[in-house]
Every structure is written in C-alpha cells, then in structure tokens.
Amino acid sequence: AIQIGTMTAVFAVQNWLDMMNLKFQTVGVSIANAVGDMKVNVLTLIQGMVNGAIDLLNDFISSVNKIPGVAIDLVDKVTFAASAENEAAKAARASELKGLQAQVEANKASREAQISQMKAEAEAQKAERLAGIAAAKEQAQAAGEEAGGGSGDIPAYQGGELDKVGTVGKVKSIDGDVNL
C-alpha cells in the first residue's frame, strides 16, 4: 500500500510536469504563430506598397514607351510568399504540438496501467496471504482437536487438589453459613 501510494504520488507529479511542458509548448506555439502572422501582415503591407510604387513606375514607363523608338520593359510586381511559408510553419508547429500531446497522453496511460498492475498484484498477494492464514488456522484447529482441547502441551485441569493446600480452596473466615 505504501509503494502504491508513493508511486501514485510520483506519477501524479510526473503527469503534472508533462502537462506543464505541454502548456508551455502550447503557449510557445501560439506566440510563434502570432509573430509569424504579424510578419506576414507586415510583409503583405510592404508588398502592397512596393507593388503600388511599381504600378506608378510602370504607368510612367508606359507613357515613355509612347514616344517613337523607345521600348522600356515594364517592371514585374513582387511577391514575398511569406503567407505560404507562415502557413507551412504553423502546420509544422501544430503537428509537433499534437505529437507532444499524444506522448503526454501515452505517458499518463502507461503510468495508470502500472498503478493498476501494482494494485492487482497487491490484491493477489493479499488473497494469497489470507488463504495461507485460513489454512494455518484450519491446521492449528485440527492439531488442537487431536491433542484434546487445543491447548498444545499444557495438561488439562484435573481439579480436586486445591483442598490439599491449606485454605486455598476455601475462604478462611466463612466456613459456615452466611446470613444477611
């Protein structure tokens, strides 16, 4: 019982530590996702400003290209592809977090199984001890009946010898009738 109680407490602490690790990892993933989203938003704003400037430049180039003999290529718009990278990173972090959560749950289930096994073994040992005690009682009872009363080597009281030892068998001052 002491071992089971101790291991239950140890496993409870381990489960708590695993859950704390999972919670810290969850917070870390949430922060990383928030920072990644901010990065994507900032890059999207910058991309919009740069592409707006490129549109103005391309309008100017188109105007200049109307002059005969001038052929300037238009500037291509830019894309930073930060959104796709961020989504891939978020998916990877979510996958790692799910893996950690599965590991925490597996550890908890394993510990619960160990405690259940320890309890089952303790119950089996208790039943074995109780069966041994019952068998010993039956054996002692059978041996006692064979010896004549279950007192083992102690001889049975024969009686009648108290009168031979002075006044031990009688109350000395009350040999006669007592009237109240």
Side-chain angles (χ1 to χ4, degrees):
I2 291 171
Q3 182 183 14
I4 290 171
T6 301
M7 291 310 295
T8 299
V10 167
F11 288 163
V13 170
Q14 288 178 337
N15 287 341
W16 181 79
L17 290 173
D18 282 351
M19 288 304 295
M20 291 306 295
N21 181 31
L22 180 62
K23 294 299 179 185
F24 281 125
Q25 291 295 328
T26 302
V27 168
V29 166
S30 296
I31 290 171
N33 288 344
V35 169
D37 289 343
M38 282 192 317
K39 174 185 167 188
V40 167
N41 290 338
V42 168
L43 288 176
T44 301
L45 288 173
I46 292 172
Q47 177 180 317
M49 290 189 315
V50 169
N51 284 336
I54 290 174
D55 285 341
L56 289 174
L57 185 61
N58 282 340
D59 286 343
F60 178 71
I61 291 174
S62 295
S63 297
V64 171
N65 281 342
K66 290 182 184 177
I67 299 173
V70 178
I72 303 174
D73 291 334
L74 296 177
V75 178
D76 293 331
K77 290 188 176 186
V78 295
T79 56
F80 295 132
S83 178
E85 291 174 8
N86 184 47
E87 293 304 316
K90 284 169 75 171
R93 286 188 291 265
S95 175
E96 288 177 19
L97 193 61
K98 283 185 180 185
L100 179 62
Q101 184 174 9
Q103 182 63 39
V104 166
E105 290 172 3
N107 289 346
K108 184 177 180 181
S110 171
R111 292 177 188 130
E112 288 174 357
Q114 284 179 333
I115 292 294
S116 294
Q117 180 181 0
M118 289 172 72
K119 286 180 179 178
E121 288 174 4
E123 287 296 321
Q125 289 173 357
K126 180 180 177 182
E128 185 179 320
R129 283 191 309 273
L130 290 176
I133 290 170
K137 282 183 179 179
E138 287 177 14
Q139 185 180 11
Q141 189 175 23
E145 289 175 1
E146 289 174 6
S151 58
D153 294 337
I154 300 173
Y157 173 67
Q158 301 299 323
E161 295 181 12
L162 282 179
D163 294 336
K164 296 178 184 175
V165 186
T167 60
V168 173
K170 309 177 200 177
V171 177
K172 185 175 184 177
S173 62
I174 310 179
D175 270 339
D177 292 335
V178 176
N179 293 325
L180 296 177

